[in-house]
Amino acid sequence: MAEIAKDIKLHGFNNLTKSLSFNLYDISYAQTPAARREYIQYIDEMFSADRLTEILKEVVDIIGANILFTSRQDYEPEGASVTMLIAEHELTSPDEAEDYTHEEPGPLPKNIANHLDKSHVTVHTYPEIHPHDGISTFRADIDVSTCGLISPLRALNYLIHVLDADIATIDYRVRGFTRSVDGKKHFIDHEINSIQNYMSDDTLDTYKMIDVNVYQEQTFHTKMIREKFNVEDYLFDNASKRLSETEKSEIASRLDQEMHEIFYGRNYDEGKY
């Protein structure tokens, strides 16, 4: 796997495209009409186009981009989309370039730093409320695509934490190639054998993970599921006060089954995971 050393001079612009794609899932329990209304209100507040725009602005700051254009839309009855076109800026000095690396995990929401830039950032949400058993599943699809020396991996930990996902599927791919002045092609400009290389310790401790990587194609895939959860955090309309411990335990089992079905991509009755 070729990489671009710091002393290699490129012919023109770095033409590598790096794309990071998330499918993030948030699971809840809302069985009664009142609980479903509260859940919808929660979704409208936490994942409105306005809030998602602010989240993407932080992503743009983390990867160091300049926003050229923003389009956002709230949908009826629920759901939202935001798209940002972003542009690269020039590195001003060798010292500044030293900061633009892939070597450490990106920042968490409480510790935002300005770095890097380019291309586009998008988010689309898919809320679902099913009356059959009270399980509600919210999905957010996020794409961060950059070009040049910069890396969308810088936004990895921030997005996982700020959206507090129960399950996540993450894809990272480096496409194209760039050339050094002697004409040699370089198909990647950083070392990576797993998306997990760029996750913070608390992310790694919170989730169980499975990798499917195709190194020859610069394609990396990681699936994540929360290791532990407190059922109290998944209830609406003061359900915790009305439910017995036995009922809470049953709901916890159903939430766990929902998470694992999404994680493994099949229903429980199709074969135990």
Side-chain angles (χ1 to χ4, degrees), residues 58-78:
E58 296 288 8
V59 169
V60 171
D61 283 343
I62 291 169
I63 65 174
N66 302 301
I67 299 173
L68 298 177
F69 176 79
T70 301
S71 176
R72 59 188 176 186
Q73 179 67 50
D74 285 304
Y75 301 109
E76 293 293 340
E78 287 88 37

Side-chain angles (χ1 to χ4, degrees), residues 25-29 135-136 164-167 205-208 224-235 245 247-261 263 273:
Y25 296 87
D26 178 81
I27 312 302
S28 298
Y29 180 80
I135 301 294
S136 299
D164 196 26
D166 293 309
I167 310 104
D205 291 342
T206 301
Y207 296 91
K208 171 186 175 181
M224 308 164 49
I225 183 170
R226 191 177 294 277
E227 290 267 30
K228 299 177 182 179
F229 66 89
N230 183 352
V231 69
E232 307 281 350
D233 298 330
Y234 293 75
L235 303 176
E245 291 305 312
E247 289 172 318
K248 291 179 186 178
S249 178
E250 291 174 352
I251 292 169
S253 295
R254 289 159 65 187
L255 289 168
D256 183 73
Q257 179 176 329
E258 178 79 2
M259 293 180 192
H260 279 83
E261 287 180 344
F263 182 68
Y273 26 76

Side-chain angles (χ1 to χ4, degrees), residues 1-3 187-188 190-193 214-216 218 220:
M1 184 180 294
E3 63 178 270
F187 295 94
I188 195 165
H190 58 289
E191 293 184 2
I192 180 172
N193 55 39
V214 184
Y215 308 111
Q216 297 87 343
Q218 334 295 7
F220 307 89

Side-chain angles (χ1 to χ4, degrees), residues 17-261:
T17 298
K18 303 156 192 172
S19 298
L20 187 66
S21 298
F22 295 81
N23 302 121
L24 303 170
Y25 296 87
D26 178 81
I27 312 302
S28 298
Y29 180 80
Q31 187 172 42
T32 67
R36 288 195 288 271
R37 286 193 297 270
E38 187 176 332
Y39 172 73
I40 291 171
Q41 183 179 0
Y42 160 76
I43 291 297
D44 287 344
E45 292 176 357
M46 294 298 294
F47 303 103
S48 67
D50 285 345
R51 182 168 185 264
L52 292 171
T53 298
E54 293 306 310
I55 289 172
L56 293 194
K57 284 180 179 178
E58 296 288 8
V59 169
V60 171
D61 283 343
I62 291 169
I63 65 174
N66 302 301
I67 299 173
L68 298 177
F69 176 79
T70 301
S71 176
R72 59 188 176 186
Q73 179 67 50
D74 285 304
Y75 301 109
E76 293 293 340
E78 287 88 37
S81 294
V82 182
T83 297
M84 288 183 178
L85 299 181
I86 56 181
E88 187 179 26
H89 68 270
E90 295 294 325
L91 301 181
T92 58
S93 70
D95 289 339
E96 185 179 1
E98 289 294 323
D99 292 334
Y100 291 39
T101 70
H102 300 73
E103 294 172 0
E104 297 179 356
L108 301 181
K110 62 183 180 181
N111 186 26
I112 302 301
N114 290 325
H115 289 277
L116 330 179
D117 45 42
K118 180 143 186 143
S119 227
H120 69 264
V121 185
T122 65
V123 58
H124 305 285
T125 68
Y126 304 88
E128 177 210 45
I129 301 174
H130 198 285
H132 175 64
D133 58 5
I135 301 294
S136 299
T137 301
F138 174 85
R139 186 179 107 226
D141 291 354
I142 300 176
D143 291 288
V144 184
S145 183
T146 69
C147 292
L149 297 176
I150 63 180
S151 172
L153 290 168
R154 291 288 301 172
L156 178 64
N157 292 288
Y158 172 77
L159 285 169
I160 292 171
H161 282 259
V162 76
L163 293 175
D164 196 26
D166 293 309
I167 310 104
T169 59
I170 308 174
D171 293 283
Y172 177 65
R173 185 178 180 190
V174 181
R175 294 173 292 169
F177 62 88
T178 195
R179 294 181 189 268
S180 57
V181 292
D182 63 3
K184 181 179 179 180
K185 298 182 185 69
H186 298 273
F187 295 94
I188 195 165
D189 62 353
H190 58 289
E191 293 184 2
I192 180 172
N193 55 39
S194 170
I195 297 170
Q196 296 184 47
N197 296 158
Y198 300 99
M199 292 183 182
S200 60
D201 289 342
D202 61 337
T203 300
L204 295 171
D205 291 342
T206 301
Y207 296 91
K208 171 186 175 181
M209 303 187 192
I210 295 175
D211 276 3
V212 180
N213 301 316
V214 184
Y215 308 111
Q216 297 87 343
E217 298 298 326
Q218 334 295 7
T219 299
F220 307 89
H221 175 81
T222 297
K223 296 200 300 186
M224 308 164 49
I225 183 170
R226 191 177 294 277
E227 290 267 30
K228 299 177 182 179
F229 66 89
N230 183 352
V231 69
E232 307 281 350
D233 298 330
Y234 293 75
L235 303 176
F236 290 85
D237 188 36
N238 293 315
S240 178
K241 296 180 180 179
R242 300 192 310 271
L243 297 171
S244 67
E245 291 305 312
T246 299
E247 289 172 318
K248 291 179 186 178
S249 178
E250 291 174 352
I251 292 169
S253 295
R254 289 159 65 187
L255 289 168
D256 183 73
Q257 179 176 329
E258 178 79 2
M259 293 180 192
H260 279 83
E261 287 180 344

